[in-house]
Amino acid sequence: MFWSGNYITVRTLNVLLKEQNFTLAQVLEADDIIQECKADNKALIQFLTKPEILAELITLITEEPPKNVELAQQYRHASIACEVLTSQLPMLNDRLSLDTVQMNRLCDFINRDPPLNPLLASYFSKTVEMLLERSTKQDCYLYHIVCLRVLDFFKSRRDFLPNLLRHIATSAIADIFKYFIRLDDLFHKIVMEWFEEHQLLESLIQIICGTYVPEELSPEPIENEPQQSDPHIDQENNVTEPNHNEEHHEGNKDSDNEESDTDENGEGSGEGGSIGGGSSKGAGRGPRRRSGGRIGGAGDRAGVASANAAALLCDLILNGCAVEGCSSWSSTALWLCGRVGGAAGVRGVLQAAFTSPAPRRDSALVHAALLLRALLHRDPILPDAESERTSVELAIAPHLPLLHQALLQPPPDDVRLKGRDWGQAGGQQGARGAGRVGHARVQVAALLAHLALSEVDDVATTLLTLGTPGVMLDMFFEYPDNNFLHAEVYTMIKNALSNQAHRPQYARHLFEECNLVTRLMDAFEENENREVPRRGYMGHVVLCLSRVARVAPETLQAARGAGGAAGTAGGPRWAERWARFHRDKLQPLLDVHETPLGGYYPSEHSFEVENMVDPADNYDVSTVGGRRLRSPPEPLRAPFSAARVLRRPLGALFFNFCINVLASNYRRNPQAPQCQTQRSP
């Protein structure tokens, strides 16, 4: 073989390290640099931990590469340098944490004006993660020393955490907060005091609602910091800095030619003193930032920052910012979840959302609704999950009139013209010319649909008094092309009719006041005409009719009796029509939908194969281990259950496939060789 001959001559790293006057660039070009780092090559570690080499590595991952280099090679050395720094070398971590000059140069990367280079930001994020997380080669004592040293250094930089918040629009920077949150419980007090000092949670909620104003802080010099400059560092900076300055000069030149926009963060303030209050230090003052840079203007960056902050808090609430596959929560994560999930936290989120500036209000409602839904979806395994859910629902109840009003407000005209409305599928207008729904209204409808399952009296009473289910049902038929909205209305109907405490009240409201069944039957029969284009909501109409048919008999009978006594549209005529419709049209359709493909369900157990249909009909019935392989002529038909299919082990499905397909093909060929227990010579 070609590879076994080893005909390629490769200059190994060990040979290079034995030479004189070799450079870091030559070491990074070696093919086995990463392997040697992971193998703890002593000569390589001694070379990498030299102060001048460590300075070069920091320069590569934080400074823009020269523009005169070929594009494919610009970030090659920077990428390899990042891999070397994060290759879990305990001595390299210790030396970097001790070097105050290089730590300051590392932190100076986020002192730049936004937007940051996303690739360099990812290298910075990985380096910070390496300094904070314990490697497999690091003992517990050394890890605690390095981590405490790094945390003390970051805390001494008064501008570090505000700069992270200022650049949260860069996703790699947003991930750095997760590294601090999931630190060991030993560092919980340090991180908690640091977050409290800078009001991290309040700042994140203000970013979500568009009312955050960055703190104007200058970096404080570290005591006993050496002031002499490294000539090697100066040489590197002289190479890269002119291009960096030129780039900023061009960006400022372009931005001067643009028309200045109003600062979206300059107006709007909420109540101070609570989590998420719109007021902050320096609110209403500070220079207005003009658009410019790599990724659009300040408005676009504010929207991305709002989305990243909301995603960070949702991940904190649902997973505790833990690493994938890890179920343990840190004390910092539990403390933050307790604050944002408390009554004061929920009220602060809603107040900040409804008092946000008008241009940012829709985005604030979208992310506030996502955050509240995450609080309502918390894992029931967690301690006091049910009581926390009830407290969240009680805190939302006073703001239900505002959420109901948000359903009635169409999206702004500029959103329609720019086509940035995510709430409308396909970008088409409704059949009745009603325009678009809007992303904000879809997310508010999703939150209200989830609240229909609440057993809190204040929530159910307020929703029924406002007529919120009726408004959502009207929107269902008003916007026939928006399947996102249709799914939330169906969820509302399902949750309302499944509510153990308030199901009769919801059923009476839907069947009598909203005339739900009649409207669903009219929509179904209207779309039976083949000449009329089928409406986009027909799939959810069938789901709603199926859910109505599954309602408990006593609840449906009570609704019919109340309608007949009142003489409304849901009277005896509705009951008779429903009986005919269910028997002649709905039930045959449901039977077709519930029939599994192929006429039977595969067995849930690996060795229950009696109820399987063998696809081969040209061979005799045989047995395997005394079990029949052919099913009865009439296969069993069970109602469809998605949970049953999802619970089926993958091994059982593969076993069924082997029995029905592979074994049948094997039996068709009588000349197939038998299994050999010993290899033939």
Side-chain angles (χ1 to χ4, degrees):
M1 296 294 291
F2 175 78
W3 294 110
S4 62
N6 194 15
Y7 298 114
I8 299 179
T9 58
V10 179
R11 190 181 186 186
T12 61
L13 186 60
N14 290 326
V15 176
L16 179 63
L17 293 175
K18 294 178 181 179
E19 296 181 359
Q20 298 293 333
N21 300 326
F22 58 91
T23 63
L24 177 63
Q26 294 175 331
V27 173
L28 296 179
E29 287 291 342
D31 292 338
D32 53 348
I33 172 67
I34 305 300
Q35 290 81 354
E36 292 296 332
C37 286
K38 294 184 180 297
D40 294 337
N41 188 314
K42 294 183 179 180
L44 178 61
I45 293 175
Q46 291 178 359
F47 173 76
L48 294 175
T49 52
K50 293 180 180 179
E52 62 275 11
I53 301 301
L54 199 57
E56 284 191 65
L57 292 174
I58 297 299
T59 300
L60 287 172
I61 66 172
T62 57
E63 297 293 338
E64 296 281 351
K67 301 301 180 183
N68 54 0
V69 181
E70 186 182 355
L71 181 61
Q73 301 293 329
Q74 281 185 3
Y75 294 96
R76 173 179 171 82
H77 286 176
S79 177
I80 300 175
C82 178
E83 293 296 329
V84 169
L85 283 172
T86 59
S87 57
Q88 298 184 352
L89 293 175
M91 185 177 295
L92 187 61
N93 297 0
D94 185 60
R95 291 293 178 87
L96 180 57
S97 64
L98 284 172
D99 196 333
T100 308
V101 176
Q102 304 311 322
M103 289 293 292
N104 276 321
R105 294 183 63 229
L106 182 67
C107 294
D108 287 341
F109 172 75
I110 55 177
N111 283 345
R112 304 169 184 174
D113 292 333
L116 295 175
N117 185 320
L119 191 56
L120 295 180
S122 66
Y123 299 155
F124 172 80
S125 177
K126 288 186 65 176
T127 305
V128 173
E129 180 185 13
M130 176 269 299
L131 291 170
L132 293 175
E133 294 193 352
R134 180 182 177 184
S135 66
T136 55
K137 303 176 183 178
Q138 204 171 22
D139 60 82
C140 183
Y141 180 72
L142 180 59
Y143 163 68
H144 288 162
I145 291 178
V146 172
C147 194
L148 283 172
R149 189 184 298 150
V150 172
L151 284 176
D152 289 340
F153 178 83
F154 287 156
K155 288 184 64 179
S156 64
R157 295 268 309 205
R158 289 282 303 169
D159 61 335
F160 184 76
L161 202 58
N163 280 334
L164 291 181
L165 292 170
R166 189 163 60 100
H167 292 293
I168 199 172
T170 305
S171 58
I173 301 299
D175 290 339
I176 296 178
F177 293 100
K178 300 180 182 180
Y179 308 148
F180 291 111
I181 291 174
R182 60 178 179 233
L183 283 174
D184 291 346
D185 294 345
L186 178 66
F187 312 107
H188 166 63
K189 185 177 180 180
I190 300 175
V191 177
M192 182 182 65
E193 293 176 352
W194 189 30
F195 286 174
E196 279 290 336
E197 179 184 357
H198 292 277
Q199 297 182 350
L200 174 67
L201 192 58
E202 292 83 351
S203 300
L204 289 175
I205 295 177
Q206 290 170 9
I207 291 173
I208 290 175
C209 300
T211 59
Y212 176 71
V213 177
E215 298 181 21
E216 297 294 338
L217 293 175
S218 58
E220 298 179 359
I222 308 300
E223 296 182 0
N224 301 326
E225 179 181 342
Q227 299 297 328
Q228 65 273 16
S229 60
D230 192 340
H232 190 83
I233 299 174
D234 296 337
Q235 183 180 359
E236 292 291 336
N237 292 337
N238 291 334
V239 175
T240 59
E241 192 62 22
N243 296 308
H244 186 69
N245 295 334
E246 181 182 355
E247 179 184 354
H248 280 282
H249 177 71
E250 293 177 357
N252 295 332
K253 181 178 179 181
D254 295 338
S255 63
D256 291 338
N257 296 331
E258 296 179 359
E259 183 178 357
S260 61
D261 301 330
T262 56
D263 186 7
E264 297 175 350
N265 297 334
E267 299 181 13
S269 61
E271 299 180 8
S274 62
I275 296 179
S279 62
S280 63
K281 297 181 180 180
R285 58 183 175 86
R288 296 180 179 178
R289 299 185 181 274
R290 298 176 180 176
S291 61
R294 296 185 182 88
I295 57 173
D300 294 337
R301 289 197 299 271
V304 176
S306 178
N308 286 348
L312 173 62
L313 289 180
C314 289
D315 187 23
L316 169 67
I317 294 167
L318 297 176
N319 304 317
C321 292
V323 183
E324 185 177 359
C326 179
S327 58
S328 60
W329 287 43
S330 65
S331 299
T332 306
L334 293 174
W335 169 70
L336 289 174
C337 284
R339 289 202 58 197
V340 72
V346 175
R347 286 195 301 267
V349 170
L350 289 170
Q351 289 172 2
F354 285 110
T355 58
S356 59
R360 301 293 306 158
R361 188 160 300 166
D362 280 355
S363 176
L365 284 175
V366 167
H367 298 116
L370 289 172
L371 183 59
L372 294 176
R373 287 172 60 193
L375 288 172
L376 295 173
H377 278 91
R378 288 198 67 184
D379 193 347
I381 300 178
L382 296 176
D384 301 330
E386 192 63 29
S387 61
E388 291 180 1
R389 175 190 172 92
T390 303
S391 65
V392 171
E393 294 170 351
L394 286 172
I396 296 176
H399 298 83
L400 286 176
L402 294 175
L403 293 172
H404 177 85
Q405 187 64 27
L407 281 179
L408 304 177
Q409 295 179 354
D413 293 337
D414 57 343
V415 175
R416 295 183 184 179
L417 294 176
K418 292 181 181 180
R420 296 184 181 180
D421 183 6
W422 299 344
Q424 178 71 17
Q428 302 176 357
Q429 288 190 350
R432 302 181 185 179
R436 302 187 179 191
V437 180
H439 193 196
R441 289 204 286 179
V442 171
Q443 294 299 330
V444 170
L447 175 62
L448 294 173
H450 196 81
L451 288 173
L453 195 61
S454 172
E455 297 183 0
V456 177
D457 294 338
D458 293 345
V459 174
T461 303
T462 306
L463 289 177
L464 293 173
T465 303
L466 295 172
T468 304
V471 172
M472 295 179 63
L473 191 61
D474 293 339
M475 295 174 64
F476 182 92
F477 294 103
E478 184 178 358
Y479 302 97
D481 297 327
N482 195 313
N483 290 141
F484 300 103
L485 176 65
H486 304 156
E488 304 306 338
V489 176
Y490 165 70
T491 303
M492 182 271 299
I493 295 174
K494 179 184 67 174
N495 291 341
L497 297 180
S498 303
N499 194 312
Q500 298 295 329
H502 305 94
R503 183 171 58 187
Q505 294 88 335
Y506 279 117
R508 188 180 304 110
H509 175 76
L510 291 173
F511 294 153
E512 297 179 26
E513 301 177 14
C514 301
N515 203 10
L516 171 64
V517 181
T518 302
R519 298 177 72 176
L520 291 176
M521 290 189 295
D522 291 342
F524 186 92
E525 294 174 351
E526 179 184 353
N527 284 269
E528 284 184 327
N529 187 0
R530 299 291 183 179
E531 298 178 359
V532 180
R534 182 180 173 90
R535 296 294 182 90
Y537 54 60
M538 278 307 298
H540 291 92
V541 165
V542 175
L543 289 176
C544 293
L545 288 169
S546 175
R547 178 58 58 177
V548 171
R550 295 177 187 178
V551 174
E554 60 274 10
T555 305
L556 186 58
Q557 188 64 29
R560 291 176 182 175
T568 59
R573 183 178 302 176
W574 168 84
E576 295 175 1
R577 182 186 176 189
W578 167 254
R580 293 193 303 268
F581 176 82
H582 182 268
R583 181 184 65 252
D584 300 336
K585 297 181 179 180
L586 181 61
Q587 191 59 46
L589 180 62
L590 295 180
D591 290 341
V592 174
H593 289 178
E594 293 174 355
T595 302
L597 185 64
Y600 71 98
Y601 287 99
S603 174
E604 295 184 1
H605 304 285
S606 300
F607 298 100
E608 292 183 1
V609 294
E610 292 89 346
N611 297 332
M612 296 182 182
V613 177
D614 200 327
D617 295 327
N618 56 351
Y619 62 91
D620 297 334
V621 177
S622 60
T623 60
V624 174
R627 310 300 296 272
R628 290 177 59 86
L629 294 174
R630 188 186 296 274
S631 67
E634 294 291 335
L636 298 177
R637 295 176 59 185
F640 177 74
S641 174
R644 179 183 179 187
V645 176
L646 293 176
R647 288 197 310 266
R648 187 176 303 113
L650 183 61
L653 294 177
F654 181 72
F655 178 82
N656 299 336
F657 170 77
C658 293
I659 292 296
N660 286 275
V661 179
L662 299 183
S664 62
N665 295 335
Y666 183 82
R667 288 192 298 271
R668 287 196 189 100
N669 185 8
Q671 304 298 330
Q674 300 296 324
C675 296
Q676 300 283 341
T677 57
Q678 296 181 356
R679 295 185 59 183
S680 57

